[in-house]
Structures are given as structure tokens and as C-alpha cells.
Amino acid sequence: MKALIDKIKTAGIAVDEHVLKVDSFINHQVDPKLMGEIGEEFARYFKDKKITKVFTVETSGIAPAVFTALVMNLDLVVLKKNTSKILSGEVYQTSIYSFTKGVNYELTLSKKFIDKDDNILIIDDFLANGQAALGAVNLVEMAGAKVGGIGILIEKTFQDGRKLLDDRGYETYSLARIKSLKEGMIEFED
Amino acid sequence: MKALIDKIKTAGIAVDEHVLKVDSFINHQVDPKLMGEIGEEFARYFKDKKITKVFTVETSGIAPAVFTALVMNLDLVVLKKNTSKILSGEVYQTSIYSFTKGVNYELTLSKKFIDKDDNILIIDDFLANGQAALGAVNLVEMAGAKVGGIGILIEKTFQDGRKLLDDRGYETYSLARIKSLKEGMIEFED
């Protein structure tokens, strides 16, 4: 998606060969106009997939996901990152490891917000090692529902997240695909 | 705001006399259409205040705040809740206590996303004891900038948040004002 790629080129910072800093328009400061355009693009791409609900993982996926859900006229569910297990039968939970923060989360979904007939579109800001997206996939599968697609703002193709999602049989659509962050340079896939 | 009050009446749950559960349309599942209408309403109310930027506190304020910022054609900044102090001169931080979770956070703002000429609109989902909003106010004041107003989705008027913000001299506009949650009943201010 040209608007996002252009923004990454002008405002993204390759901190080291693994970390792309986008805190001036996605993670800390947020560009609402760009988020709106991203929502339009995901809605366009997934329009024939019979999606029934949009899911995202807190926190940075919320802004693009809420616009996607608005354009698709669907509800959004924000999966929670709990630091400990909730001891009740009313939630689905799955452990995910955050490489960025070096901690485990219990990704949490109330059972009342999914049902086996749902076909879920998962939206997230980054796809790197795929832990957050796979966690969301696990929760959908626990409920006996389907994943209708996965929409990612920025994919780091040199990490293995894409392969893990492909292996599970799901379609992933990334708006910007980054091949390398070496030597402070942001190199995109063609 | 009628749309929000109606939604609270039909989908809000008074869990006990202090806790209003709105997880089916604000906190966990999110109603994007309602969030869009809330954004329009805040933009309308604060349109003459010469706001330069919208701030919110992660996580549940993001959806209404991103629509507010979009309608006002401004950037949004999402204040981060860090669990420990960041030891660098590049951020403003202030401690806030979460009564809901019983923990302290370091509310964090990168210095590069505020400047002394800014006039900030703070948006948050709940105003109860006012700790999150006051934390946001503190960060703005640390930067030497101004608070142009505070927009709240749901105010619990039986807690002291409103008074604390009034005492600091700031205008707070709440879309739904709740007087009591006693005996499982949600009672609104007139």
C-alpha cells in the first residue's frame, strides 16, 4: 500500500537490523488519516471473505482495526494481554511470548464475543515472529470458529511469522513488506 | 450524548456499586459506529478551542480518540502505561495508580511528540477517581504546553475525578454522567 510505504520511508527508523521504529505514526503518535486509509484497504481486500467480526491484539492494532471494522460494518474485538491466567470458564486464553518485551502474556478473549459460526479477520500492526497473530488464531480455533484472513500493516519478511501462518493454512495480507533493516536502511520487498 | 446513553442503558452492566461493565461496546468488544459518532461529538464540542493535538491513555481510549483526531484533522498521541521508569531524558513520566488493577504505572510521553505551543485535548473512556486524566494533564504541563479540554465517554459523578480536574482549572466534557450504580441499577444525572 503506497501511502503506508511512503510514510515508512519518510518517518520510519531502522533502529537495528531487527527493529523498525514507527512511533511517530503508528505506535505512540498515530496518524488518523493513514489509519482510515488502511481500514479502507483491508475492507476492500477482504470484502468477499464473508467476515463476521474483526479481531485485533491490544494496543497498536486498535486504530487501524477500528477503521477496518467501521468500513466493513462489523464489531471489533480487542484481545487483551493479561499478565496472569484468569481462573474462570468464561474466557479463552493462550500464552504468547513477546520478544520485544521479553515477557509472556495470556492473550484473552471473552467467550461471549465469539461463536462457532464466526469468520474472523485478524488485524495487527506488525508481523515478525508471528506470536501475536498465532495467539489470535489459537483463540478463534478454540471457539470452533474460522479465521477468514489476517491483515498486517508491516511484515518483516526476514522473520518467520509469515511461514508459521502459511503453515496453518491462513491467508495473510501485508500492506508493507520489509526485506531488511541492515545498516540503518529500510529495504522493501518488490 | 443520546446514542452513548442509550447503549449504556441496553448493554451496560452495573457489576457492583462502583463498577460499570461496558465490555460489549467499549472495553473488549468495540462498536466502531458508536466510536465514530463519539469522535464527531467531541470534535463539534471542542471545535473553537484551537486544539493542536489529541491525547489518550492506552487502551480503551484509543478507538474514540482516533475518530476525534480524524474529524479534527489532528494527530493522536497514545500515552503509554509502563510498569517501570524509563531511564532516559527523552520522555516525560508521571506515576498513576490504577484502582481497577491495584498497580502503579509510569504514564509515558516521548518529548518529541509535544511542544510548548501545543494545546492538547485529552480523551479517555472513564472518569472515576481521575488518576489517568490527571496523569495526562501532568505530562502536558511538564512540557510547558496547555490542556485545551478533557473529553470523557463515561463519568461516574459519585467519585471525585471531576472535582480534581475542576480544581486544576480545566474544562471536562462527559458524554454520559452516571450518578449511581447501586443495587444493579444504572442511574444517570439529568
Side-chain angles (χ1 to χ4, degrees):
Chain A
M1 185 196 177
K2 188 171 182 307
L4 178 60
I5 291 170
D6 287 349
K7 190 81 176 190
I8 295 169
K9 284 178 179 169
T10 55
I13 298 164
V15 176
D16 60 39
E17 65 183 89
H18 297 289
V19 177
L20 175 67
K21 202 165 177 177
V22 291
D23 68 345
S24 66
F25 59 103
I26 296 176
N27 294 142
H28 186 11
Q29 185 165 264
V30 177
D31 177 340
K33 192 163 165 291
L34 179 62
M35 296 302 125
E37 290 166 9
I38 287 169
E40 298 272 355
E41 175 59 16
F42 283 136
R44 185 197 63 75
Y45 187 86
F46 291 105
K47 70 177 187 305
D48 297 326
K49 298 287 180 184
K50 300 192 168 71
I51 303 297
T52 61
K53 210 169 252 197
V54 178
F55 276 23
T56 191
V57 176
E58 62 183 5
T59 305
S60 299
I62 297 173
V66 76
F67 284 110
T68 307
L70 181 73
V71 180
M72 298 181 90
N73 198 25
L74 299 172
D75 277 328
L76 168 68
V77 173
V78 179
L79 302 174
K80 301 285 175 184
K81 287 176 185 164
N82 287 90
T83 47
S84 57
K85 269 227 185 298
I86 294 173
L87 300 169
S88 92
E90 292 166 12
V91 297
Y92 297 110
Q93 290 191 304
T94 187
S95 289
I96 57 169
Y97 180 71
S98 166
F99 286 88
T100 327
K101 299 201 173 172
V103 292
N104 273 299
Y105 293 107
E106 295 295 327
L107 201 65
T108 302
L109 166 65
S110 271
K111 289 184 178 176
K112 63 185 173 181
F113 299 132
I114 189 165
D115 119 357
K116 65 177 176 41
D117 299 323
D118 272 323
N119 189 37
I120 306 293
L121 172 60
I122 297 166
I123 301 289
D124 207 3
D125 57 342
F126 272 100
L127 177 64
N129 47 65
Q131 295 306 295
L134 283 168
V137 165
N138 289 342
L139 293 176
V140 174
E141 291 182 347
M142 277 180 203
K146 289 198 183 72
V147 175
I150 299 161
I152 299 291
L153 274 62
I154 303 173
E155 175 184 342
K156 294 190 267 187
T157 62
F158 55 90
Q159 291 186 257
D160 57 359
R162 157 76 65 162
K163 186 181 177 320
L164 296 170
L165 293 172
D166 285 351
D167 289 350
R168 294 283 282 267
Y170 297 122
E171 183 183 3
T172 303
Y173 174 51
S174 305
L175 302 181
R177 305 183 71 218
I178 289 171
K179 189 156 59 176
S180 163
L181 294 168
K182 286 183 182 157
E183 296 168 13
M185 302 283 289
I186 305 169
E187 199 180 339
F188 292 86
E189 297 279 350
D190 295 327
Chain B
M1 184 194 175
K2 188 171 182 303
L4 178 61
I5 292 170
D6 287 349
K7 190 82 177 189
I8 295 168
K9 284 178 179 169
T10 55
I13 299 165
V15 176
D16 60 38
E17 64 183 87
H18 296 289
V19 177
L20 175 65
K21 200 166 179 176
V22 291
D23 68 346
S24 66
F25 57 105
I26 295 176
N27 293 145
H28 186 10
Q29 185 164 262
V30 178
D31 178 340
K33 191 163 167 291
L34 180 62
M35 295 301 125
E37 290 166 11
I38 287 169
E40 297 271 356
E41 176 58 16
F42 283 136
R44 185 196 64 75
Y45 187 86
F46 291 105
K47 71 176 186 303
D48 298 325
K49 298 289 180 185
K50 300 192 168 70
I51 303 296
T52 60
K53 212 171 251 198
V54 179
F55 275 23
T56 191
V57 175
E58 63 183 6
T59 306
S60 298
I62 297 174
V66 75
F67 284 111
T68 307
L70 181 73
V71 179
M72 299 181 88
N73 199 24
L74 299 172
D75 278 328
L76 168 68
V77 173
V78 178
L79 302 174
K80 301 285 175 183
K81 289 176 184 163
N82 287 91
T83 47
S84 57
K85 267 226 186 301
I86 295 173
L87 299 169
S88 92
E90 292 166 12
V91 297
Y92 297 110
Q93 291 192 303
T94 186
S95 290
I96 58 169
Y97 180 72
S98 166
F99 285 89
T100 327
K101 299 201 172 172
V103 291
N104 273 299
Y105 291 107
E106 295 295 326
L107 201 65
T108 303
L109 166 64
S110 270
K111 289 184 178 175
K112 62 184 173 183
F113 299 132
I114 190 165
D115 113 6
K116 65 180 178 37
D117 299 323
D118 273 322
N119 188 37
I120 306 293
L121 172 60
I122 296 166
I123 301 290
D124 207 3
D125 57 341
F126 273 99
L127 177 64
N129 48 65
Q131 294 306 295
L134 283 169
V137 165
N138 289 341
L139 293 177
V140 173
E141 290 182 347
M142 277 180 202
K146 289 200 183 72
V147 175
I150 299 161
I152 299 291
L153 273 62
I154 304 174
E155 175 182 342
K156 294 190 268 188
T157 62
F158 55 90
Q159 291 186 257
D160 57 1
R162 158 76 66 163
K163 186 182 178 319
L164 295 171
L165 293 172
D166 285 351
D167 289 350
R168 295 283 281 268
Y170 297 120
E171 183 183 3
T172 303
Y173 174 51
S174 305
L175 302 181
R177 304 183 71 218
I178 290 171
K179 188 156 60 175
S180 163
L181 294 168
K182 285 182 183 159
E183 296 169 13
M185 301 282 290
I186 305 168
E187 200 180 339
F188 292 87
E189 298 278 350
D190 295 328

